[in-house]
Amino acid sequence: MLKKNPNSFSLFKRTNGENKKCMIKRWIEKAIIYDLMCKYTEVQVRLVNGNGSLFRFLDVLAARKDPAGLSGEVLINGAPQPPNFKCLSGYVVQDDVVMGTLTVRENFTFSAALRLPSTVSQEEKEQKVNKLIQELGLGRVADSRVGTQLIRGISGGERKRTNIGMELIIDPPVLFLDEPTTGLDASTANSVLLLLKRMANHGRTIILSIHQPRYSIYRLFDSLTLLVTGKQVYHGPAQNALEYFSDIGHTCEPHNNPADFFLDVINGDSTAVACSNMEGLLCGFVSMTTKKAELEEILSKRGIEDKLVEEYRNCNYYKQTKAELVQGKQAATTAPSRTITYNTSFLTQFRWVLKRTFRNLMLNPQTSVAQVAVTLFLALVVGAIFFDVQDNQSGMQNRFGALFFITVNQCFSSLSSAELFISERKLFIHEYISGYYRLSVYFLSKILSDIITLRTIPAIVFTCVAYFMIGLKPTADAFFLFMFTVMLVAYTATSMALAISADQTVVAIANIFMTIACVFMMIFAGLLVNLPSIVSWLAWLKYLSIPRYGLSALQVNEFTGLKFCQDLNTSFIPPGIACTGEEFLTEQGVDYSTWGFWQNHVALGAMTICFLAITYLKLRFIRKFT
């Protein structure tokens, strides 16, 4: 990759089926390689064959791959890699992982606030952000939003430079980039690599993987590492690579892109093969029928791969690297480990993450304005359908139907929270393992922002509109208890949705599971089936129903004290007709005592806590390394 750093950075490797070690050591300007490894002062060009790479080599070097199953060593200046190396180095992932609703400056400020030590003053952080914006050529778009699917933002090249700036804010000694030209046009990709070259010329070590770069990009590289199915077939000066392959029998045609040529060679597609003793079969076109088996073996991809690996291990680059690494290596005493360290306190992280989360919600109309608008529309519809219920038998039925609809609506409306952790999964994982913030900080910030903006406010709006349009009990305590119950149902349903979706990667799959759960709970809410009539071996399912607790609480709050037979002759009331709210609640199997009312809220609160605990545990144990 691109180099120019006087530090010694050594590296390792793991292999397929066999244990191998490798390091790269850099002595001021010279990098060394041992066995199957890459070098830090250079660009790593990773060309993958048809079967694909068995592991992400760049992730291993950057300490972002799960150490389980890996063997070998990664050394820095001859010493073992620090456990928190991923927090000390910069890593630009292939996909953009910045908050699209924020501006470039706001994203840089967020990174500086959480990744720079607390000893650095706010003024110094602002100066660093401004300097970085100028160095990256982002001054024109510094106060423009990065952009989302709904918000038009900056260009692809500017987005890539913004991602790079998020990592450069800590002045990392090493910067890793995973295919930084992906999704960019040729001109933009060239400008990004020119930027990286300038950074390397100023003393920064840059290591990147790249796929088939054009020649203007390839010539920027100081060093080149080629891998095929996890095996190293070349590591050395990029400008000497063509000469090396020519010496082993693979000559690049004039005007052919070296990167394309290397890919053809390691994939077995190159026709530039020298006429060695064994390859004379190909060049002389003799004995084609008798030598068919030998020809197929020579042309096979496996045969070519093995030949390339063997040639490399017999070359001077490999032998010299191996000798210098063995001489300069320090004894390693511990196995690789992964530790995340933080430069800021819990409260500092919580303040900045919560601020960013709220700002993201407010600037995203799909999750903020739309949620309130839909809630207001549904409240008007419900209010119009059940408008001004009366204290008679039809009014009793209408009240029951309205309360059921309101409860179920809160449950299904909360399904939108399924994407709370799914939509930002890549962003969260990248920032978490880079040491931006603790898991608890992210969890609390997301929960509080979702509850306050997307659950509490819509519940208040819905209650204020629907309650008075329907004409429910006109007392202050009944109104506020109604609002509290509706909010608690929304909280519980939201927490259930989070518990189901926390470890999912596709929103559609999470929605399927949540819809099934809500439908089953709706059956046991109390309207579709009379709960006292359910057989005993199925009756326990009602205790798992969120709508049941919400509907029971709303019924107790609304029906107690009401009379529904005032327009009837009391001497001719048919049997089975409930004339009071208490009689109706008894028929429904609802306990309308004081404890009977509040036990529903206790149950909803307990379920909320359990679901949130499950959500946190899922986030804690989801796979964060590749």
Side-chain angles (χ1 to χ4, degrees):
M1 166 148 177
L2 306 164
K3 68 173 187 174
K4 299 288 190 239
N5 190 325
N7 297 327
S8 170
F9 204 148
S10 310
L11 267 164
F12 88 105
K13 200 40 241 147
R14 145 206 164 182
T15 62
N16 311 326
E18 51 183 337
N19 293 330
K20 292 190 177 181
K21 283 191 203 174
C22 162
M23 303 185 331
I24 302 171
K25 191 166 185 177
R26 173 169 108 150
W27 304 95
I28 306 229
E29 300 222 336
K30 187 172 186 178
I32 319 173
I33 243 188
Y34 168 66
D35 194 21
L36 173 61
M37 253 356 68
C38 167
K39 176 181 174 188
Y40 309 69
T41 59
E42 294 109 359
V43 177
Q44 176 206 357
V45 178
R46 178 169 60 88
L47 301 179
V48 183
N49 76 339
N51 295 328
S53 205
L54 295 181
F55 57 88
R56 299 294 298 277
F57 183 49
L58 191 68
D59 290 341
V60 176
L61 303 187
R64 290 171 182 263
K65 186 171 183 65
D66 190 346
L70 294 178
S71 62
E73 297 172 278
V74 179
L75 303 182
I76 302 176
N77 294 332
Q81 190 181 46
N84 66 334
F85 178 70
K86 59 182 172 294
C87 300
L88 305 176
S89 60
Y91 189 91
V92 181
V93 297
Q94 183 174 348
D95 299 321
D96 295 330
V97 283
V98 289
M99 190 65 72
T101 54
L102 303 185
T103 66
V104 174
R105 188 185 305 277
E106 288 171 340
N107 276 292
F108 285 178
T109 301
F110 177 81
S111 179
L114 297 184
R115 302 189 73 184
L116 293 177
S118 56
T119 55
V120 180
S121 65
Q122 184 62 31
E123 182 180 357
E124 292 175 320
K125 293 179 181 178
E126 292 177 358
Q127 293 176 354
K128 192 172 186 65
V129 169
N130 293 331
K131 179 181 178 181
L132 190 58
I133 289 175
Q134 297 305 318
E135 289 178 351
L136 296 175
L138 295 171
R140 185 177 60 86
V141 295
D143 297 310
S144 301
R145 297 185 192 177
V146 175
T148 64
Q149 293 180 343
L150 299 177
I151 302 174
R152 180 174 182 145
I154 57 181
S155 67
E158 291 165 340
R159 288 176 67 94
K160 184 61 66 175
R161 279 179 278 165
T162 301
N163 280 267
I164 295 173
M166 295 288 287
E167 303 303 314
L168 293 180
I169 203 75
I170 61 173
D171 286 327
V174 184
L175 177 64
F176 298 92
L177 300 99
D178 183 11
E179 300 196 14
T181 59
T182 298
L184 304 181
D185 59 74
S187 177
T188 303
N190 189 59
S191 66
V192 171
L193 266 294
L194 286 173
L195 169 66
L196 296 175
K197 181 65 175 180
R198 289 195 299 268
M199 293 164 50
N201 290 335
H202 286 82
R204 193 182 304 277
T205 299
I206 300 176
I207 304 175
L208 61 87
S209 64
I210 194 167
H211 186 76
Q212 286 184 280
R214 70 181 192 178
Y215 179 69
S216 61
I217 292 177
Y218 171 80
R219 67 183 181 180
L220 298 175
F221 300 161
D222 298 305
S223 177
L224 174 69
T225 298
L226 294 175
L227 301 178
V228 52
T229 62
K231 299 176 182 178
Q232 192 166 21
V233 296
Y234 179 79
H235 176 77
Q239 304 309 319
N240 296 348
L242 289 176
E243 180 182 354
Y244 166 79
F245 277 94
S246 178
D247 292 340
I248 65 173
H250 301 276
T251 303
C252 182
E253 299 176 350
H255 310 296
N256 188 10
N257 181 8
D260 293 335
F261 167 73
F262 297 143
L263 186 61
D264 289 340
V265 171
I266 64 177
N267 280 335
D269 299 329
S270 176
T271 58
V273 181
C275 299
S276 62
N277 293 334
M278 186 169 56
E279 290 148 346
L281 301 171
L282 222 61
C283 298
F285 292 98
V286 295
S287 304
M288 293 296 290
T289 56
T290 59
K291 303 287 186 175
K292 183 177 180 181
E294 289 84 352
L295 283 172
E296 291 178 348
E297 181 179 357
I298 292 173
L299 292 174
S300 69
K301 184 178 297 184
R302 176 61 63 185
I304 292 177
E305 291 175 4
D306 294 341
K307 180 178 181 298
L308 291 174
V309 173
E310 180 183 359
E311 291 286 356
Y312 172 69
R313 293 183 181 178
N314 292 329
C315 73
N316 291 331
Y317 293 119
Y318 178 83
K319 293 177 181 178
Q320 184 180 6
T321 298
K322 181 176 180 179
E324 293 184 3
L325 287 175
V326 172
Q327 181 181 1
K329 174 185 171 183
Q330 301 177 13
T333 58
T334 58
S337 61
R338 301 287 185 263
T339 302
I340 299 177
T341 56
Y342 307 100
N343 287 324
T344 52
S345 64
F346 175 90
L347 292 179
T348 300
Q349 294 174 7
F350 182 71
R351 177 168 62 90
W352 279 94
V353 177
L354 186 64
K355 177 182 176 181
R356 185 184 71 166
T357 306
F358 269 110
R359 183 166 179 77
N360 178 54
L361 285 174
M362 294 300 101
L363 295 175
N364 193 341
Q366 186 178 20
T367 58
S368 54
V369 178
Q371 184 82 7
V372 177
V374 170
T375 300
L376 179 60
F377 173 75
L378 289 176
L380 292 173
V381 171
V382 173
I385 294 175
F386 300 98
F387 183 76
D388 193 22
V389 294
Q390 303 298 314
D391 292 339
N392 51 31
Q393 293 298 310
S394 63
M396 180 171 58
Q397 179 183 356
N398 290 340
R399 279 183 171 83
F400 192 22
L403 297 180
F404 174 80
F405 181 88
I406 292 171
T407 304
V408 173
N409 174 67
Q410 291 301 310
C411 291
F412 281 97
S413 297
S414 299
L415 298 184
S416 62
S417 61
E419 62 176 348
L420 186 64
F421 294 116
I422 296 178
S423 60
E424 296 181 7
R425 174 67 59 85
K426 292 182 179 179
L427 177 66
F428 159 65
I429 291 178
H430 175 73
E431 292 181 342
Y432 173 71
I433 64 178
S434 297
Y436 279 76
Y437 43 71
R438 296 166 174 83
L439 173 61
S440 56
V441 168
Y442 179 77
F443 176 76
L444 290 175
S445 298
K446 298 297 288 184
I447 294 300
L448 288 178
S449 62
D450 186 82
I451 285 178
I452 293 176
T453 58
L454 302 182
R455 310 304 156 199
T456 303
I457 295 177
I460 293 175
V461 171
F462 190 94
T463 300
C464 292
V465 174
Y467 191 91
F468 296 105
M469 288 186 67
I470 296 174
L472 300 178
K473 189 182 293 185
T475 60
D477 58 340
F479 172 77
F480 286 108
L481 286 175
F482 180 95
M483 181 183 295
F484 174 69
T485 304
V486 170
M487 288 191 295
L488 195 55
V489 171
Y491 296 163
T492 308
T494 299
S495 62
M496 182 197 70
L498 296 177
I500 293 175
S501 63
D503 60 344
Q504 299 294 322
T505 57
V506 180
V507 177
I509 300 299
N511 280 331
I512 291 174
F513 291 139
M514 291 183 294
T515 301
I516 294 174
C518 287
V519 169
F520 273 99
M521 289 191 297
M522 183 175 64
I523 295 175
F524 292 90
L527 175 67
L528 303 180
V529 61
N530 186 268
L531 296 180
S533 65
I534 300 178
V535 294
S536 59
W537 59 276
L538 286 178
W540 61 273
L541 290 174
K542 66 183 180 182
Y543 297 110
L544 303 178
S545 174
I546 296 175
R548 169 185 171 264
Y549 293 114
L551 181 59
S552 297
L554 293 179
Q555 287 183 94
V556 174
N557 180 66
E558 174 63 23
F559 281 94
T560 51
L562 295 183
K563 300 184 182 301
F564 300 102
C565 295
Q566 296 179 0
D567 57 342
L568 298 178
N569 188 338
T570 56
S571 59
F572 295 100
I573 296 178
I577 296 296
C579 289
T580 64
E582 287 79 1
E583 293 177 355
F584 175 78
L585 294 175
T586 302
E587 291 180 358
Q588 296 298 319
V590 177
D591 183 0
Y592 55 86
S593 64
T594 302
W595 168 243
F597 173 71
W598 288 107
Q599 70 179 354
N600 298 295
H601 300 85
V602 172
L604 290 174
M607 293 177 71
T608 301
I609 294 174
C610 291
F611 285 135
L612 292 180
I614 294 173
T615 304
Y616 181 84
L617 292 176
K618 282 189 173 184
L619 290 177
R620 169 66 66 182
F621 294 108
I622 61 173
R623 186 178 181 182
K624 301 181 181 66
F625 296 96
T626 58

